[in-house]
Amino acid sequence: MKKKSILLVLVLALAGLQCYAQTGSTEIKEDFIPSTLNQPGKEYPMVNSQGYARFKIDAPQAQNIEVSLGLGGAKGGTPLSKVEDGSWMGTTAGPLDEGFHYYHLTIDGGVFNDPGALNYYGSTRWESGIEIPAHDQDFYALKNVSHGNVQQILFPSESTNTSRRAFVYTPPGYGKDSSKRYPVLYLQHGWGEDETAWSNQGRANLIMDNLIAEGKIEPFIIVMTYGMTNEIKFGSGFRNFDIKHFQTVLVDELIPYVDANFATLADQSNRAMAGLSMGGMETKMITLNKPDVFSHYALLSGGTYAPEEIKDKSKVKLIFLSCGSKERPDGIKSSVEALKNAGFNAVSHVSEGTAHEFLTWRRAFYELAPLLFK
Amino acid sequence: MKKKSILLVLVLALAGLQCYAQTGSTEIKEDFIPSTLNQPGKEYPMVNSQGYARFKIDAPQAQNIEVSLGLGGAKGGTPLSKVEDGSWMGTTAGPLDEGFHYYHLTIDGGVFNDPGALNYYGSTRWESGIEIPAHDQDFYALKNVSHGNVQQILFPSESTNTSRRAFVYTPPGYGKDSSKRYPVLYLQHGWGEDETAWSNQGRANLIMDNLIAEGKIEPFIIVMTYGMTNEIKFGSGFRNFDIKHFQTVLVDELIPYVDANFATLADQSNRAMAGLSMGGMETKMITLNKPDVFSHYALLSGGTYAPEEIKDKSKVKLIFLSCGSKERPDGIKSSVEALKNAGFNAVSHVSEGTAHEFLTWRRAFYELAPLLFK
């Protein structure tokens, strides 16, 4: 609890927000507004300025409804209660962390989504999403700046015998000057997510647009594809994970397609790979296996590199390791220290007050982007 | 019923399928397979070769579950019953029309989506989707051909004071020859849908890819944006609909942005507008208001033109009117006759065996595309 308190103070100092408690004993401010991730015209779910979430579900004959999100019961959910108009309502027992959260409803023993919220692919299903406004949300806001595009491509994959989908972020002005070519970041989602995650939950395109508008980075292309080409069981399955399938799709099929169809700088020094969580595990395996393909490596809440794992130091231009302060920041920091001592250009980033969730990765991406392709 | 029977015979003749009945008295073939629109790894909902759909929902303590789709009760739904393993199951009382259908569940009085199915935006909410394999599904199948991209763009809109989203289909090879420029079709969704509909439900990108691969059309660009910029109540609200808001976004904001950022042929003769249902109503209003902007007009289950409504015949290169055979094909056909008699290049298309649903519009689009920009 002491660690949590220190972090809380840090967050509040950064945010300049009024202090709030972590338990339900504090008074809940009645300044709830619809979550920014609601379906058009939907009032619920709502969030307040303290980070509480409030849910309202219309199902008058239901026996029991619980929201998977919250700080309530043993499972950490929020039970809803029947209210006067026949609907079910409930408020989280405490404030949630800032940023994006997946959740679902359990209605009479079955798992369903909240009809008020937009859906996001996570946990191998489309889940409901809610957004607790973060004190630093400006960096991923939709602003009146020039916007890049997010293109859905369908690329041929012989190894999996189908056309596979990827999304390609091209920066503002891409294609206007036919002689201009761009470096490329291959950016992977986590376990149970898919190629939609980094744009939808991660807002990587808006973060790029804003960084470019502020002149903080040189524009680059981002490519996002599905990383679970072979089945991976969460947890213990990782140990037996065979990277060969996805590595073939990424290195032998997707990269040649992107280099043939987009204005890329198609060499190792202009190619980066990054991934969050399981995508970090994949990034580590593939970058170590293919030192001639990528020069910049980033693991976002996705592990560390030991200096002795990297055969040829001269081929690595950047190693970026990050996580949330509620994960294991010490491991990230000590790994970066060891890498620095061994002569690598290594950088760590810790997202204050966040756990293994998307605000951690939005922030990490915001820190990583300006370091790439220098 | 006689009309239905004739159509049924027609469909079966076209399909070369074995005959099946329209009522529940026929034996249901136990060859159910998962719908192609299920979430990854989900077995239910299922469809069989006759067009029946079967649902299975896990919610052991529920009191009542009904699927909005089917030929069952007064409301046309399919009630589910509790089965041995505690889940709820049910099969439609008869075969459904071929193609795509929206649906949802009513669980204990509340509206939710089927956790087994992917979601599609319709009726101003994300609904569950199911696909009854059509005899002619080949034309919109994902094939091993060169694929165009679907790009999400965010364009500045002064009139609505925000960055608005559109999707732009660019054909295979777009951008490779910097001197090549393309005509543009502006393609609108129906009431309660949004700019995702024509790619997700309509598969317009795959229909284009296939037509281009077969050499049946000259490639063009398609632009799809949100058409409900001002609130429209379904039904009677259409009568008081003011097209000004959307027309401003489309003509004064989106078209200049597309012409500035894509390799377009930016003149009237190379610009078409088409829309389905409410999008047809918008297409009619805007093409009549702006004869110098568009030269090709298409209303898909979205009304008709009378010759006297068009001031300058010389500016109109094509009028395409279509609907499903279960809508009002006579109105479409007589309108096209009148237009032809008045000297217009007018074409009608009737989708056999379908109603006001997306297979009707996939087929219409497949017929329309080769007629554009000749």
Side-chain angles (χ1 to χ4, degrees):
Chain A
M1 282 313 286
K2 192 161 180 206
K3 195 170 155 199
K4 222 174 197 172
S5 305
I6 293 166
L7 293 175
L8 185 64
V9 168
L10 264 174
V11 170
L12 296 175
L14 285 167
L17 290 173
Q18 205 177 323
C19 189
Y20 57 84
Q22 291 258 314
T23 71
S25 58
T26 312
E27 201 176 324
I28 299 176
K29 285 194 188 166
E30 287 302 328
D31 58 357
F32 286 88
I33 53 169
S35 160
T36 55
L37 306 185
N38 284 2
Q39 294 198 27
K42 297 288 185 182
E43 201 181 358
Y44 285 88
M46 300 185 104
V47 297
N48 81 351
S49 61
Q50 298 162 300
Y52 286 81
R54 181 170 285 169
F55 304 91
K56 183 175 184 179
I57 303 296
D58 186 36
Q61 289 107 52
Q63 305 302 295
N64 191 284
I65 304 184
E66 185 163 331
V67 177
S68 64
L69 198 67
L71 307 167
K75 278 187 163 177
T78 299
L80 305 190
S81 311
K82 213 166 181 174
V83 293
E84 272 178 25
D85 67 0
S87 66
W88 294 71
M89 286 188 75
T91 304
T92 53
L96 303 169
D97 284 346
E98 294 181 312
F100 175 88
H101 307 284
Y102 296 108
Y103 73 100
H104 57 257
L105 312 173
T106 303
I107 304 174
D108 293 342
V111 172
F112 301 93
N113 285 339
D114 184 338
L118 292 172
N119 300 319
Y120 296 85
Y121 198 70
S123 317
T124 73
R125 65 183 296 273
W126 287 89
E127 288 253 304
S128 298
I130 191 170
E131 184 83 25
I132 305 297
H135 69 279
D136 55 349
Q137 63 184 318
D138 188 66
F139 78 87
Y140 55 85
L142 174 65
K143 295 184 193 176
N144 187 18
V145 298
S146 292
H147 294 289
N149 300 344
V150 178
Q151 311 198 22
Q152 175 190 285
I153 65 168
L154 296 167
F155 65 98
S157 165
E158 230 177 76
S159 72
T160 60
N161 197 29
T162 187
S163 294
R164 303 190 67 83
R165 186 170 71 164
F167 290 99
V168 179
Y169 170 84
T170 53
Y174 173 87
K176 282 200 173 169
D177 172 0
S178 61
S179 69
K180 180 150 178 63
R181 305 189 81 81
Y182 299 83
V184 186
L185 166 65
Y186 290 82
L187 183 60
Q188 289 305 125
H189 59 83
W191 182 89
E193 297 170 342
D194 71 7
E195 64 274 23
T196 61
W198 267 109
S199 308
N200 287 358
Q201 293 94 303
R203 304 174 76 104
N205 54 324
L206 299 182
I207 296 171
M208 286 294 285
D209 292 345
N210 293 338
L211 282 168
I212 292 166
E214 291 172 28
K216 288 184 178 165
I217 59 170
E218 281 303 309
F220 55 85
I221 290 169
I222 306 175
V223 178
M224 301 158 277
T225 198
Y226 186 56
M228 293 172 70
T229 43
N230 43 325
E231 209 180 319
I232 308 170
K233 294 227 187 312
F234 190 74
S236 63
F238 288 172
R239 247 171 270 141
N240 308 313
F241 179 62
D242 184 355
I243 193 65
K244 188 180 83 240
H245 306 276
F246 177 56
Q247 183 174 290
T248 300
V249 169
L250 182 75
V251 175
D252 299 338
E253 296 171 344
L254 179 55
I255 290 177
Y257 184 87
V258 168
D259 285 336
N261 289 280
F262 289 86
T264 64
L265 291 163
D267 61 349
Q268 188 256 8
S269 66
N270 287 294
R271 208 180 285 120
M273 184 169 183
L276 73 89
S277 194
M278 184 201 75
M281 182 186 79
E282 295 179 328
T283 297
K284 179 175 175 177
M285 289 175 169
I286 292 175
T287 51
L288 291 179
N289 287 346
K290 299 284 179 183
D292 294 326
V293 176
F294 301 98
S295 52
H296 298 68
Y297 312 169
L299 313 182
L300 284 54
S301 308
T304 59
Y305 290 91
E308 60 274 17
E309 292 177 307
I310 297 161
K311 283 169 205 147
D312 186 349
K313 195 167 69 181
S314 71
K315 289 188 171 158
V316 184
K317 287 196 179 168
L318 172 73
I319 296 179
F320 179 93
L321 305 177
S322 69
C323 70
S325 66
K326 295 183 176 182
E327 301 189 85
R328 294 185 186 177
D330 292 349
I332 298 298
K333 286 175 187 164
S334 61
S335 173
V336 163
E337 269 316 296
L339 288 163
K340 277 182 174 171
N341 291 338
F344 288 93
N345 174 28
V347 175
S348 68
H349 174 258
V350 176
S351 163
E352 290 302 335
T354 63
H356 201 69
E357 292 193 290
F358 246 106
L359 183 55
T360 301
W361 305 317
R362 289 178 189 160
R363 286 175 177 164
F365 178 75
Y366 179 72
E367 296 296 324
L368 167 65
L371 304 176
L372 292 175
F373 313 119
K374 288 289 174 188
Chain B
M1 279 313 286
K2 194 158 181 206
K3 196 170 156 200
K4 221 173 199 172
S5 306
I6 294 168
L7 294 175
L8 186 63
V9 169
L10 264 174
V11 170
L12 296 175
L14 285 167
L17 290 171
Q18 204 178 326
C19 190
Y20 57 83
Q22 290 259 313
T23 71
S25 57
T26 312
E27 202 175 325
I28 298 176
K29 286 194 186 164
E30 287 302 327
D31 58 357
F32 286 88
I33 54 168
S35 160
T36 54
L37 306 186
N38 284 2
Q39 294 198 27
K42 296 289 185 181
E43 200 182 357
Y44 286 89
M46 302 187 100
V47 297
N48 83 350
S49 61
Q50 299 163 299
Y52 286 80
R54 181 170 286 171
F55 304 90
K56 184 174 183 179
I57 304 295
D58 185 37
Q61 289 107 53
Q63 305 302 296
N64 190 283
I65 304 185
E66 184 161 333
V67 176
S68 64
L69 199 66
L71 307 167
K75 276 186 163 180
T78 299
L80 306 190
S81 311
K82 214 166 181 173
V83 294
E84 272 178 24
D85 68 0
S87 65
W88 294 72
M89 286 187 75
T91 304
T92 53
L96 303 170
D97 284 347
E98 296 181 313
F100 175 87
H101 306 285
Y102 296 106
Y103 74 100
H104 57 257
L105 312 173
T106 303
I107 304 174
D108 293 342
V111 172
F112 301 93
N113 285 339
D114 185 339
L118 292 173
N119 301 319
Y120 296 86
Y121 198 70
S123 316
T124 70
R125 64 182 298 272
W126 287 89
E127 289 253 304
S128 298
I130 191 170
E131 183 84 26
I132 305 297
H135 68 277
D136 56 349
Q137 61 185 321
D138 188 66
F139 79 86
Y140 55 84
L142 174 65
K143 295 185 192 174
N144 187 17
V145 298
S146 292
H147 294 289
N149 300 345
V150 178
Q151 311 198 22
Q152 175 192 283
I153 65 168
L154 296 168
F155 65 98
S157 165
E158 228 176 77
S159 72
T160 60
N161 197 28
T162 187
S163 293
R164 303 191 68 84
R165 185 169 73 164
F167 290 99
V168 179
Y169 170 84
T170 53
Y174 173 86
K176 281 199 173 169
D177 172 0
S178 60
S179 70
K180 183 151 175 63
R181 307 190 78 83
Y182 300 82
V184 186
L185 166 65
Y186 289 81
L187 183 60
Q188 289 306 126
H189 59 83
W191 182 88
E193 297 170 342
D194 70 7
E195 63 275 24
T196 61
W198 267 110
S199 308
N200 288 358
Q201 293 95 302
R203 303 172 77 103
N205 54 324
L206 299 182
I207 296 171
M208 285 293 287
D209 292 346
N210 293 338
L211 281 167
I212 292 167
E214 291 172 29
K216 289 184 178 165
I217 59 169
E218 282 301 309
F220 56 83
I221 290 170
I222 307 175
V223 179
M224 301 157 276
T225 198
Y226 186 57
M228 293 171 72
T229 42
N230 42 324
E231 209 181 318
I232 308 171
K233 294 229 185 312
F234 190 73
S236 62
F238 288 172
R239 247 171 271 140
N240 308 314
F241 179 61
D242 183 356
I243 193 65
K244 186 180 82 240
H245 307 276
F246 177 56
Q247 183 174 290
T248 300
V249 169
L250 183 75
V251 176
D252 300 336
E253 297 172 342
L254 179 56
I255 291 178
Y257 184 88
V258 169
D259 285 336
N261 288 281
F262 289 86
T264 63
L265 291 163
D267 60 349
Q268 188 257 7
S269 65
N270 286 294
R271 207 179 285 121
M273 185 169 180
L276 73 88
S277 195
M278 182 200 75
M281 181 186 79
E282 295 179 329
T283 297
K284 179 173 174 178
M285 288 175 171
I286 293 175
T287 51
L288 292 179
N289 287 345
K290 298 284 177 181
D292 293 327
V293 176
F294 301 99
S295 53
H296 297 69
Y297 312 169
L299 313 183
L300 284 53
S301 307
T304 58
Y305 290 90
E308 61 274 18
E309 291 177 307
I310 297 160
K311 283 169 203 146
D312 186 349
K313 196 167 67 181
S314 71
K315 290 189 171 158
V316 184
K317 287 194 177 169
L318 172 73
I319 296 179
F320 179 93
L321 305 177
S322 68
C323 70
S325 67
K326 296 183 176 183
E327 301 189 87
R328 295 187 186 176
D330 293 348
I332 298 299
K333 287 175 187 163
S334 61
S335 174
V336 163
E337 268 318 295
L339 288 163
K340 278 182 173 169
N341 290 339
F344 287 92
N345 175 28
V347 176
S348 67
H349 174 259
V350 176
S351 164
E352 290 301 335
T354 62
H356 201 69
E357 291 192 292
F358 246 105
L359 183 55
T360 301
W361 305 318
R362 289 178 189 159
R363 287 175 177 164
F365 179 74
Y366 178 72
E367 296 296 325
L368 168 66
L371 304 176
L372 292 174
F373 313 117
K374 288 287 175 191

